[in-house]
Amino acid sequence: MRMNEGVEWAAHVCVLLHWLEEEQAEPVPVPVARLAEVYDLPAPYLVKQVQALTRAGITESVPGKRGGVRLARPADRITLMDVVAAIEGPDDAFACTEIRRRGLSEGRPAREFAQPCGIAHAMRGAELAWRRELAATSILDLAEATPRRIAADVRRHFARA
């Protein structure tokens, strides 16, 4: 399965925002251009990913001179599946087109195709397992799995501004 690289970018943004908010009483919004510079990403493209996160209720946009973006809910309540769905959309990765009804099988009675074929069944099972795994992984899990020195480096970078 291949995903848009925006999924990776969006997940990293969520982790970074968590690190910046982790030690603050009130989350401070961060301009997307500043987020982009941390990872040396093109800001206009990252803006599109953050907009998708905002539409999905993962981040929220704060307007104004000191505006930017921040997490809309705690990192332990945002899953990797939430991020993937925000960027990739909710559609299944595999779409059965019922190719088995074509060619030699064209014209066969519909009752012969009442059950999904083995391919569709296997693909659906794999997708459900994949979605369950992503849904079981939170942004907090990802942040905690990253060496603390990286989070500290990020905080120092933003403190200099």
Side-chain angles (χ1 to χ4, degrees):
M1 176 178 301
R2 185 169 181 85
M3 285 184 274
N4 178 325
E5 68 183 354
V7 170
E8 178 184 8
W9 295 10
H12 276 286
V13 162
C14 290
V15 169
L16 190 148
L17 289 171
H18 166 70
W19 287 334
L20 295 175
E21 296 174 1
E22 195 172 37
E23 297 175 350
Q24 299 177 5
E26 180 67 27
V28 175
V30 181
V32 176
R34 299 258 352 257
L35 296 170
E37 76 184 27
V38 170
Y39 296 113
D40 195 26
L41 299 173
Y45 188 74
L46 190 60
V47 165
K48 292 178 186 178
Q49 309 317 309
V50 172
Q51 287 171 338
L53 292 172
T54 299
R55 281 192 300 275
I58 296 169
T59 59
E60 58 187 10
S61 180
V62 178
K65 185 177 178 180
R66 295 198 178 276
V69 65
R70 62 185 177 205
L71 293 178
R73 56 187 192 262
D76 65 340
R77 292 187 36 230
I78 302 169
T79 70
L80 196 47
M81 188 66 239
D82 295 333
V83 174
V84 170
I87 303 302
E88 292 287 331
D91 296 339
D92 291 342
F94 176 79
C96 178
T97 62
E98 282 294 344
I99 193 172
R100 64 188 177 153
R101 290 184 173 202
R102 300 179 190 167
L104 292 175
S105 295
E106 190 173 352
R108 296 189 71 80
R111 70 179 177 277
E112 291 184 21
F113 305 104
Q115 298 295 319
C117 72
I119 295 166
H121 181 74
M123 294 298 235
R124 184 68 185 145
E127 176 138 353
L128 288 173
W130 174 75
R131 288 177 180 269
R132 273 192 295 272
E133 183 65 26
L134 294 177
T137 304
S138 72
I139 294 301
L140 181 61
D141 296 332
L142 297 173
E144 289 178 345
T146 305
R148 298 308 295 170
R149 70 181 184 285
I150 295 174
D153 288 348
V154 165
R155 287 189 195 103
R156 276 193 297 279
H157 173 79
F158 280 89
R160 287 190 294 246

